[in-house]
Amino acid sequence: MTVTDIQRAPARAPAGPHARSRRPRGTRLGGIGIIPWRILVFAAGVALWYLVHASGVFPAALLPSPIGVLTEWAQALASASFWSILGDTLAGALVGLAFGIVAGIPLGILTGRFVAAELSVRFLVDFGRAFPAVALVAVLLLILGRGIEVKVVLVFVAVVFIIILQTQHGVRSVSASIVDTTHAFRIRGRLFVRKVLLPSAAPSILAGLRLAASVAVLVTISTEVLTGAPGLGASIAEAQVGGNSALAYAYIVYAGLLGYAVNMGLGWLQGRLLRWQPQGSGD
């Protein structure tokens, strides 16, 4: 910072016991904190749901009462079978995601570092990214059956290209000056990858993992709905076919909460691993 910059900088009041804490812009609406607003919006949504149900515009089989859904939601939570169902869905999503990570990150590093490798696989990656994984359901159902294997394969196909692309982006974001400096100090091979490349690419890789995790949960539940494999998706379909729409909606809420929890967990992990990164500079 130059002398001119110091002269132009605004003066700051000394911190003290009476100093007022500054809040980021947009965290208060009409003098009310953002959390009360979120609660109000949620309550308004539930109230609107109840009014539409009570009006009879939609049949109860299509739009059950929120009270009935809440009752089924609480009963499912106290049921031992529900946790087994939740575990089946979570296992399929996480195992498929783990295979995607193991394959996607090394391939992303390789193709991000070497132009020839990236050009060689560009068509395959672009095709795989645009290919709907659920289109393979019919074929995989005949080969693998309705076990966890079909969910793992479909999740892997859906997430591996996302991870590859995000890893490529992170590897290419390493500045040329850093690469030249490490070469000057003869920092190459595994040491370069471990100490320079991965830390620099970590924000992009972790952002890709969060996106891939959300896709993994979505594909897992969709596969369960289509194949009848054990899990939340199959339970939603069974409840709907059985005429218990309130239970189906309760499982749908649990599916949303599962995706939210996975995303928040990876967000917490990202914050812990990237504590060195300035606030607001992440992906």
Side-chain angles (χ1 to χ4, degrees), residues 137 139-151 227 229:
V137 166
V139 176
L140 292 178
L141 191 61
L142 293 174
I143 299 173
L144 302 175
R146 293 177 175 166
I148 189 176
E149 295 83 4
V150 65
K151 293 187 283 187
T227 65

Side-chain angles (χ1 to χ4, degrees), residues 51-277:
L51 290 175
V52 173
H53 168 77
S55 66
V57 175
F58 298 101
L62 180 62
L63 186 67
S65 167
I67 298 176
V69 173
L70 179 61
T71 302
E72 295 289 352
W73 187 89
Q75 291 177 353
L77 189 65
S79 172
S81 61
F82 165 76
W83 296 102
S84 176
I85 292 170
L86 184 64
D88 290 332
T89 298
L90 193 59
L94 292 183
V95 174
L97 179 63
F99 279 112
I101 292 171
V102 170
I105 292 180
L107 286 174
I109 293 174
L110 178 64
T111 55
R113 282 286 293 156
F114 303 103
V115 177
E118 192 274 334
L119 293 175
S120 299
V121 301
R122 177 178 294 177
F123 172 76
L124 178 62
V125 172
D126 289 341
F127 177 80
R129 177 182 57 175
F131 182 79
V134 292
L136 297 173
V137 166
V139 176
L140 292 178
L141 191 61
L142 293 174
I143 299 173
L144 302 175
R146 293 177 175 166
I148 189 176
E149 295 83 4
V150 65
K151 293 187 283 187
V152 170
V153 172
L154 289 173
V155 169
F156 172 81
V157 172
V159 305
V160 67
F161 299 103
I162 297 173
I163 297 172
I164 290 174
L165 287 171
Q166 283 295 122
T167 305
Q168 286 178 350
H169 173 72
V171 169
R172 291 170 186 159
S173 66
V174 181
S175 64
S177 59
I178 294 177
V179 175
D180 293 339
T181 302
T182 56
H183 286 174
F185 284 95
R186 299 182 182 275
I187 302 175
R188 299 182 180 182
R190 295 180 180 178
L191 184 62
F192 173 77
V193 172
R194 190 173 68 253
K195 295 295 185 179
V196 179
L197 199 60
L198 283 178
S200 299
S204 180
I205 294 174
L206 290 173
L209 293 185
R210 292 183 67 178
L211 176 60
S214 300
V215 172
V217 174
L218 175 64
V219 171
T220 301
I221 294 175
S222 300
T223 303
E224 291 168 350
V225 171
L226 294 174
T227 65
L232 283 174
S235 298
I236 293 171
E238 290 174 2
Q240 191 64 39
V241 171
N244 192 349
S245 59
L247 180 59
Y249 272 72
Y251 282 132
I252 290 172
V253 172
Y254 275 118
L257 290 175
L258 177 61
Y260 179 78
V262 170
N263 185 64
M264 290 298 294
L266 287 174
W268 175 85
L269 180 62
Q270 181 178 5
R272 297 287 295 179
L273 294 177
L274 302 180
R275 286 179 293 182
W276 50 268
Q277 191 180 24

